[in-house]
Amino acid sequence: MLLLGLYLLETLLTGEIAYYINERFNWLAGVAGFTLLALGVINVIALLSEPESSEPAARAAPELLMSAPRVTHGNTARWHALAILSAPLIFGVFLPARPLGSAAISSSGIAFSLNVSSDQVFSIAPTQRNVLDWVRAFSASTNLDEFIGQPADLIGFVYRDARFEDDQEFMVARFTVNCCVADAVAIGVIVRSPQAAELSADDWVRVQGKFEVRDFLGQRTPILIAETIERVPMPERPYLFP
Amino acid sequence: MDFSTQLTLFSTRFLGIFIEAVSFLLLGTIVSGLIEVFVRKEDIARFVPRNLFAAVAAGSFLGFLFPVCECGVVPVTRKLYQKGLPISVGVAFLLAAPVMNLIVFASTYAAFGFGPILIGRFVITFVMAAAVGLLFSLQPSPVGLLQPRALITMAGGSAIASLQLGAPQSIFGQSLMRAARVATDEFFDMGRYLVMGTALAAGMQTFFSQEQIRALASDPSTSVVAMAIMAFVLSICSTTDAILALSFANFGFPAGSLLTFLTFGPMVDIKATLMYLSIFKRRIVIYMVILPLLMSLLFGIFINLNVRF
């Protein structure tokens, strides 16, 4: 229990927690971490002082005797629980912490548009918008032509699937996470560049360019025509939080 | 996809769900520990209405008093049973509380606004929880329904025991210590169900494709079934599922199917089902999965076929 609390606090301190949950729940994980620590300490103290206190207590309150057999039989159950509860610790400590990437998308699909009606995004300057803002803008827009010629400056990871027949095209993608990674939804903006073939899946890139509207899979879709593409390190917060 | 990629994916999802859920479980066990120490059996007996219907309805709305989600509600319900809460009231509370609270109201409002989805979600949840609760009142003896562990009343009527254990001036501190120890026990007891449920949910997400399920979106009845399966498999917290439902609306799922997702999901999903096993006998847990499933399917299909928004 102590260890579990320590682990929660450690993920918070190293920032790894951003791989798992939406940052607006960080405080909750922090509270939980400290609570686990406190409970752990209380139990250690209680265990250490038990030999002295348990006997007079049993004499003083006869009903406590009735629970005594349960305690011994509860011990094996407790070891089971302990073994199972250490599983998250083992996963957390021994496996490298990695955020979701391209491999996670193939099983859940990627969204070009979101059903989030938000006009606020239009008040953000085009070069300040991230992948989520653009996807929202595309969804809220009634006339895609308004995006033609707009400049964009995006950071995301490279994603391709079988639908991308032209090897000059790929997607600069991000995951959005509302609560924790269980509800992660992948979103992306299509990018066109002669350099595209040099990039491999999951590379983090910064793409600057201007939008055009072209056909993609038979649908008129805004496509970012890249002017520069540079490789960048993965951001500290790999997910976007809507 | 090779094995190590899948393992890291599984690990990330597993830890994500676990970190999120364990915080809520911990809150629930602490509330439960405080109930153990500070609420007496007589208090429960006094506050539960005599009339069966009123009692079950009160149970359904109890969530507004104890704001707990589906992870936190399990230890609280079990503790209330140990304090003598009638089975039917507890069942209504257990099923309704994950939706019937202000946090979920706020998140559903944020996602869908004030409209048919918001109203439908609360009304249908109430009807389902109350109906299952009433059904359970036909079997008033708890012995046949509950796990032995959930029946044991912990020794001592709280304050009396600690009075004999410690010096009079530290009764409150003693009680808090006892609450902490009860909370620890509960945490270990329920935590293993949470870990197993989380592992299953993460495994399903990693090893099964959601694409086939999404392909069912257009049909008014299969899309309802698809949403029920999604709700069960994803096991996401009821406080945020509304926002995910919004993304399903994007894939073309109609309102009735979304309501199935939003009412069935908080009551029954992989991790909640496993945690129910810490209160109820296995046979009863099966009822508690199947009854809400059938009702939410019927509601969903009926709305898809007959109601136009």
mmCIF file of all heavy atoms in Angstrom, chain A residues 164-196:
data_model
loop_
_atom_site.group_PDB
_atom_site.id
_atom_site.type_symbol
_atom_site.label_atom_id
_atom_site.label_comp_id
_atom_site.label_asym_id
_atom_site.label_seq_id
_atom_site.Cartn_x
_atom_site.Cartn_y
_atom_site.Cartn_z
ATOM 1 N N PHE A 164 -4.011 5.215 -47.038
ATOM 2 C CA PHE A 164 -3.076 6.175 -47.604
ATOM 3 C C PHE A 164 -2.314 5.526 -48.756
ATOM 4 O O PHE A 164 -1.283 4.897 -48.557
ATOM 5 C CB PHE A 164 -2.102 6.678 -46.534
ATOM 6 C CG PHE A 164 -2.747 7.601 -45.552
ATOM 7 C CD1 PHE A 164 -3.544 7.101 -44.526
ATOM 8 C CD2 PHE A 164 -2.591 8.965 -45.662
ATOM 9 C CE1 PHE A 164 -4.158 7.949 -43.633
ATOM 10 C CE2 PHE A 164 -3.202 9.817 -44.753
ATOM 11 C CZ PHE A 164 -3.996 9.309 -43.751
ATOM 12 N N GLU A 165 -2.870 5.668 -49.972
ATOM 13 C CA GLU A 165 -2.246 5.004 -51.117
ATOM 14 C C GLU A 165 -1.077 5.828 -51.639
ATOM 15 O O GLU A 165 -0.056 5.294 -52.054
ATOM 16 C CB GLU A 165 -3.292 4.806 -52.224
ATOM 17 C CG GLU A 165 -4.303 3.737 -51.853
ATOM 18 C CD GLU A 165 -5.589 3.854 -52.619
ATOM 19 O OE1 GLU A 165 -5.735 4.814 -53.406
ATOM 20 O OE2 GLU A 165 -6.457 2.993 -52.435
ATOM 21 N N ASP A 166 -1.239 7.138 -51.604
ATOM 22 C CA ASP A 166 -0.202 8.032 -52.097
ATOM 23 C C ASP A 166 0.876 8.154 -51.028
ATOM 24 O O ASP A 166 0.596 8.558 -49.893
ATOM 25 C CB ASP A 166 -0.854 9.400 -52.353
ATOM 26 C CG ASP A 166 0.085 10.323 -53.093
ATOM 27 O OD1 ASP A 166 1.311 10.117 -52.975
ATOM 28 O OD2 ASP A 166 -0.414 11.232 -53.776
ATOM 29 N N ASP A 167 2.127 7.815 -51.361
ATOM 30 C CA ASP A 167 3.138 7.837 -50.301
ATOM 31 C C ASP A 167 3.641 9.247 -50.005
ATOM 32 O O ASP A 167 4.560 9.438 -49.235
ATOM 33 C CB ASP A 167 4.296 6.878 -50.614
ATOM 34 C CG ASP A 167 5.096 7.315 -51.828
ATOM 35 O OD1 ASP A 167 4.747 8.362 -52.415
ATOM 36 O OD2 ASP A 167 6.056 6.613 -52.180
ATOM 37 N N GLN A 168 3.022 10.252 -50.627
ATOM 38 C CA GLN A 168 3.354 11.625 -50.252
ATOM 39 C C GLN A 168 2.433 12.121 -49.137
ATOM 40 O O GLN A 168 2.589 13.243 -48.669
ATOM 41 C CB GLN A 168 3.197 12.549 -51.466
ATOM 42 C CG GLN A 168 4.087 12.159 -52.615
ATOM 43 C CD GLN A 168 4.585 13.367 -53.360
ATOM 44 O OE1 GLN A 168 3.946 14.414 -53.347
ATOM 45 N NE2 GLN A 168 5.716 13.237 -54.000
ATOM 46 N N GLU A 169 1.483 11.299 -48.753
ATOM 47 C CA GLU A 169 0.531 11.753 -47.735
ATOM 48 C C GLU A 169 0.660 10.943 -46.453
ATOM 49 O O GLU A 169 0.945 9.750 -46.475
ATOM 50 C CB GLU A 169 -0.907 11.629 -48.277
ATOM 51 C CG GLU A 169 -1.236 12.741 -49.243
ATOM 52 C CD GLU A 169 -2.579 12.560 -49.904
ATOM 53 O OE1 GLU A 169 -3.207 11.501 -49.712
ATOM 54 O OE2 GLU A 169 -2.991 13.485 -50.624
ATOM 55 N N PHE A 170 0.441 11.636 -45.343
ATOM 56 C CA PHE A 170 0.376 10.947 -44.049
ATOM 57 C C PHE A 170 -0.481 11.807 -43.130
ATOM 58 O O PHE A 170 -0.982 12.866 -43.540
ATOM 59 C CB PHE A 170 1.781 10.730 -43.474
ATOM 60 C CG PHE A 170 2.493 11.997 -43.083
ATOM 61 C CD1 PHE A 170 2.427 12.465 -41.786
ATOM 62 C CD2 PHE A 170 3.222 12.731 -44.022
ATOM 63 C CE1 PHE A 170 3.075 13.638 -41.423
ATOM 64 C CE2 PHE A 170 3.878 13.895 -43.654
ATOM 65 C CZ PHE A 170 3.802 14.356 -42.357
ATOM 66 N N MET A 171 -0.651 11.353 -41.910
ATOM 67 C CA MET A 171 -1.453 12.134 -40.985
ATOM 68 C C MET A 171 -0.580 12.585 -39.824
ATOM 69 O O MET A 171 0.228 11.797 -39.322
ATOM 70 C CB MET A 171 -2.576 11.268 -40.435
ATOM 71 C CG MET A 171 -3.918 11.836 -40.675
ATOM 72 S SD MET A 171 -5.128 10.678 -40.108
ATOM 73 C CE MET A 171 -6.556 11.632 -40.458
ATOM 74 N N VAL A 172 -0.733 13.844 -39.417
ATOM 75 C CA VAL A 172 -0.104 14.256 -38.172
ATOM 76 C C VAL A 172 -1.203 14.118 -37.119
ATOM 77 O O VAL A 172 -2.232 14.767 -37.185
ATOM 78 C CB VAL A 172 0.535 15.658 -38.278
ATOM 79 C CG1 VAL A 172 -0.399 16.680 -38.851
ATOM 80 C CG2 VAL A 172 1.043 16.107 -36.926
ATOM 81 N N ALA A 173 -0.965 13.180 -36.197
ATOM 82 C CA ALA A 173 -2.058 12.712 -35.343
ATOM 83 C C ALA A 173 -1.765 12.960 -33.867
ATOM 84 O O ALA A 173 -0.620 13.120 -33.457
ATOM 85 C CB ALA A 173 -2.289 11.226 -35.571
ATOM 86 N N ARG A 174 -2.812 13.034 -33.091
ATOM 87 C CA ARG A 174 -2.723 13.124 -31.632
ATOM 88 C C ARG A 174 -3.840 12.284 -31.035
ATOM 89 O O ARG A 174 -4.831 11.991 -31.698
ATOM 90 C CB ARG A 174 -2.914 14.574 -31.154
ATOM 91 C CG ARG A 174 -1.832 15.539 -31.577
ATOM 92 C CD ARG A 174 -0.507 15.242 -30.948
ATOM 93 N NE ARG A 174 -0.394 15.662 -29.560
ATOM 94 C CZ ARG A 174 0.195 16.795 -29.176
ATOM 95 N NH1 ARG A 174 0.684 17.630 -30.052
ATOM 96 N NH2 ARG A 174 0.313 17.091 -27.897
ATOM 97 N N PHE A 175 -3.680 11.940 -29.778
ATOM 98 C CA PHE A 175 -4.779 11.329 -29.040
ATOM 99 C C PHE A 175 -5.418 12.387 -28.155
ATOM 100 O O PHE A 175 -4.706 13.197 -27.560
ATOM 101 C CB PHE A 175 -4.291 10.190 -28.141
ATOM 102 C CG PHE A 175 -4.118 8.891 -28.863
ATOM 103 C CD1 PHE A 175 -2.880 8.511 -29.325
ATOM 104 C CD2 PHE A 175 -5.200 8.072 -29.089
ATOM 105 C CE1 PHE A 175 -2.719 7.321 -30.000
ATOM 106 C CE2 PHE A 175 -5.047 6.882 -29.760
ATOM 107 C CZ PHE A 175 -3.809 6.497 -30.215
ATOM 108 N N THR A 176 -6.752 12.363 -28.061
ATOM 109 C CA THR A 176 -7.399 13.192 -27.060
ATOM 110 C C THR A 176 -7.872 12.286 -25.935
ATOM 111 O O THR A 176 -8.364 11.189 -26.179
ATOM 112 C CB THR A 176 -8.612 13.938 -27.625
ATOM 113 O OG1 THR A 176 -9.604 12.975 -27.985
ATOM 114 C CG2 THR A 176 -8.237 14.728 -28.853
ATOM 115 N N VAL A 177 -7.677 12.750 -24.731
ATOM 116 C CA VAL A 177 -8.017 11.946 -23.563
ATOM 117 C C VAL A 177 -8.898 12.778 -22.639
ATOM 118 O O VAL A 177 -8.503 13.842 -22.195
ATOM 119 C CB VAL A 177 -6.743 11.490 -22.827
ATOM 120 C CG1 VAL A 177 -7.087 10.899 -21.480
ATOM 121 C CG2 VAL A 177 -5.973 10.494 -23.667
ATOM 122 N N ASN A 178 -10.122 12.291 -22.393
ATOM 123 C CA ASN A 178 -11.042 13.013 -21.526
ATOM 124 C C ASN A 178 -10.814 12.709 -20.064
ATOM 125 O O ASN A 178 -10.897 13.567 -19.212
ATOM 126 C CB ASN A 178 -12.483 12.637 -21.860
ATOM 127 C CG ASN A 178 -12.957 13.360 -23.082
ATOM 128 O OD1 ASN A 178 -12.846 14.573 -23.160
ATOM 129 N ND2 ASN A 178 -13.441 12.627 -24.043
ATOM 130 N N CYS A 179 -10.562 11.426 -19.804
ATOM 131 C CA CYS A 179 -10.516 10.978 -18.416
ATOM 132 C C CYS A 179 -9.226 10.196 -18.247
ATOM 133 O O CYS A 179 -8.271 10.668 -17.674
ATOM 134 C CB CYS A 179 -11.754 10.135 -18.153
ATOM 135 S SG CYS A 179 -11.777 9.332 -16.581
ATOM 136 N N CYS A 180 -9.157 9.011 -18.810
ATOM 137 C CA CYS A 180 -7.902 8.274 -18.836
ATOM 138 C C CYS A 180 -7.768 7.631 -20.207
ATOM 139 O O CYS A 180 -8.644 7.782 -21.049
ATOM 140 C CB CYS A 180 -7.874 7.211 -17.738
ATOM 141 S SG CYS A 180 -9.029 5.878 -18.018
ATOM 142 N N VAL A 181 -6.689 6.909 -20.450
ATOM 143 C CA VAL A 181 -6.432 6.423 -21.800
ATOM 144 C C VAL A 181 -7.504 5.452 -22.301
ATOM 145 O O VAL A 181 -7.544 5.159 -23.484
ATOM 146 C CB VAL A 181 -5.054 5.757 -21.920
ATOM 147 C CG1 VAL A 181 -3.966 6.786 -21.841
ATOM 148 C CG2 VAL A 181 -4.885 4.679 -20.899
ATOM 149 N N ALA A 182 -8.368 4.961 -21.417
ATOM 150 C CA ALA A 182 -9.423 4.058 -21.875
ATOM 151 C C ALA A 182 -10.333 4.770 -22.870
ATOM 152 O O ALA A 182 -10.923 4.138 -23.740
ATOM 153 C CB ALA A 182 -10.245 3.546 -20.701
ATOM 154 N N ASP A 183 -10.472 6.084 -22.727
ATOM 155 C CA ASP A 183 -11.374 6.790 -23.634
ATOM 156 C C ASP A 183 -10.602 7.571 -24.698
ATOM 157 O O ASP A 183 -11.130 8.483 -25.314
ATOM 158 C CB ASP A 183 -12.333 7.698 -22.851
ATOM 159 C CG ASP A 183 -11.601 8.763 -22.075
ATOM 160 O OD1 ASP A 183 -10.819 9.496 -22.682
ATOM 161 O OD2 ASP A 183 -11.799 8.866 -20.861
ATOM 162 N N ALA A 184 -9.337 7.216 -24.909
ATOM 163 C CA ALA A 184 -8.525 7.934 -25.897
ATOM 164 C C ALA A 184 -9.146 7.840 -27.281
ATOM 165 O O ALA A 184 -9.563 6.776 -27.715
ATOM 166 C CB ALA A 184 -7.117 7.363 -25.920
ATOM 167 N N VAL A 185 -9.231 8.967 -27.952
ATOM 168 C CA VAL A 185 -9.715 9.005 -29.329
ATOM 169 C C VAL A 185 -8.615 9.631 -30.177
ATOM 170 O O VAL A 185 -8.075 10.682 -29.828
ATOM 171 C CB VAL A 185 -11.000 9.854 -29.446
ATOM 172 C CG1 VAL A 185 -11.430 9.969 -30.904
ATOM 173 C CG2 VAL A 185 -12.108 9.251 -28.613
ATOM 174 N N ALA A 186 -8.284 8.951 -31.287
ATOM 175 C CA ALA A 186 -7.239 9.482 -32.158
ATOM 176 C C ALA A 186 -7.851 10.459 -33.146
ATOM 177 O O ALA A 186 -8.926 10.218 -33.687
ATOM 178 C CB ALA A 186 -6.564 8.338 -32.900
ATOM 179 N N ILE A 187 -7.170 11.583 -33.350
ATOM 180 C CA ILE A 187 -7.608 12.540 -34.355
ATOM 181 C C ILE A 187 -6.388 12.934 -35.177
ATOM 182 O O ILE A 187 -5.252 12.763 -34.738
ATOM 183 C CB ILE A 187 -8.221 13.799 -33.726
ATOM 184 C CG1 ILE A 187 -7.266 14.372 -32.692
ATOM 185 C CG2 ILE A 187 -9.565 13.500 -33.105
ATOM 186 C CD1 ILE A 187 -7.629 15.757 -32.275
ATOM 187 N N GLY A 188 -6.618 13.454 -36.364
ATOM 188 C CA GLY A 188 -5.466 13.818 -37.164
ATOM 189 C C GLY A 188 -5.807 14.742 -38.320
ATOM 190 O O GLY A 188 -6.969 14.876 -38.702
ATOM 191 N N VAL A 189 -4.766 15.375 -38.831
ATOM 192 C CA VAL A 189 -4.878 16.243 -39.993
ATOM 193 C C VAL A 189 -4.006 15.639 -41.094
ATOM 194 O O VAL A 189 -2.888 15.186 -40.836
ATOM 195 C CB VAL A 189 -4.378 17.670 -39.642
ATOM 196 C CG1 VAL A 189 -4.252 18.518 -40.901
ATOM 197 C CG2 VAL A 189 -5.310 18.330 -38.636
ATOM 198 N N ILE A 190 -4.560 15.592 -42.318
ATOM 199 C CA ILE A 190 -3.805 14.987 -43.415
ATOM 200 C C ILE A 190 -2.761 15.977 -43.931
ATOM 201 O O ILE A 190 -3.043 17.165 -44.104
ATOM 202 C CB ILE A 190 -4.755 14.574 -44.547
ATOM 203 C CG1 ILE A 190 -5.766 13.578 -44.005
ATOM 204 C CG2 ILE A 190 -3.980 13.964 -45.714
ATOM 205 C CD1 ILE A 190 -6.922 13.334 -44.925
ATOM 206 N N VAL A 191 -1.545 15.472 -44.132
ATOM 207 C CA VAL A 191 -0.440 16.316 -44.577
ATOM 208 C C VAL A 191 0.078 15.761 -45.895
ATOM 209 O O VAL A 191 0.133 14.549 -46.093
ATOM 210 C CB VAL A 191 0.703 16.316 -43.534
ATOM 211 C CG1 VAL A 191 1.863 17.174 -44.021
ATOM 212 C CG2 VAL A 191 0.203 16.801 -42.197
ATOM 213 N N ARG A 192 0.445 16.669 -46.800
ATOM 214 C CA ARG A 192 1.027 16.258 -48.069
ATOM 215 C C ARG A 192 2.403 16.872 -48.184
ATOM 216 O O ARG A 192 2.590 18.074 -47.976
ATOM 217 C CB ARG A 192 0.127 16.736 -49.205
ATOM 218 C CG ARG A 192 0.447 16.099 -50.514
ATOM 219 C CD ARG A 192 -0.539 16.498 -51.587
ATOM 220 N NE ARG A 192 -0.008 15.994 -52.851
ATOM 221 C CZ ARG A 192 -0.174 14.754 -53.272
ATOM 222 N NH1 ARG A 192 -0.881 13.905 -52.550
ATOM 223 N NH2 ARG A 192 0.364 14.352 -54.402
ATOM 224 N N SER A 193 3.388 16.017 -48.479
ATOM 225 C CA SER A 193 4.748 16.523 -48.590
ATOM 226 C C SER A 193 5.583 15.528 -49.379
ATOM 227 O O SER A 193 5.420 14.323 -49.234
ATOM 228 C CB SER A 193 5.349 16.706 -47.194
ATOM 229 O OG SER A 193 6.754 16.647 -47.256
ATOM 230 N N PRO A 194 6.518 16.024 -50.230
ATOM 231 C CA PRO A 194 7.411 15.105 -50.939
ATOM 232 C C PRO A 194 8.348 14.362 -49.987
ATOM 233 O O PRO A 194 8.846 13.300 -50.318
ATOM 234 C CB PRO A 194 8.202 16.030 -51.880
ATOM 235 C CG PRO A 194 7.919 17.418 -51.460
ATOM 236 C CD PRO A 194 6.686 17.417 -50.631
ATOM 237 N N GLN A 195 8.532 14.934 -48.774
ATOM 238 C CA GLN A 195 9.405 14.293 -47.788
ATOM 239 C C GLN A 195 8.729 13.123 -47.084
ATOM 240 O O GLN A 195 9.372 12.420 -46.314
ATOM 241 C CB GLN A 195 9.737 15.300 -46.687
ATOM 242 C CG GLN A 195 10.933 16.179 -46.900
ATOM 243 C CD GLN A 195 11.051 17.078 -45.687
ATOM 244 O OE1 GLN A 195 10.402 18.106 -45.616
ATOM 245 N NE2 GLN A 195 11.840 16.663 -44.703
ATOM 246 N N ALA A 196 7.410 12.987 -47.288
ATOM 247 C CA ALA A 196 6.616 12.078 -46.453
ATOM 248 C C ALA A 196 7.209 10.684 -46.351
ATOM 249 O O ALA A 196 7.204 10.076 -45.280
ATOM 250 C CB ALA A 196 5.187 11.999 -46.982
#
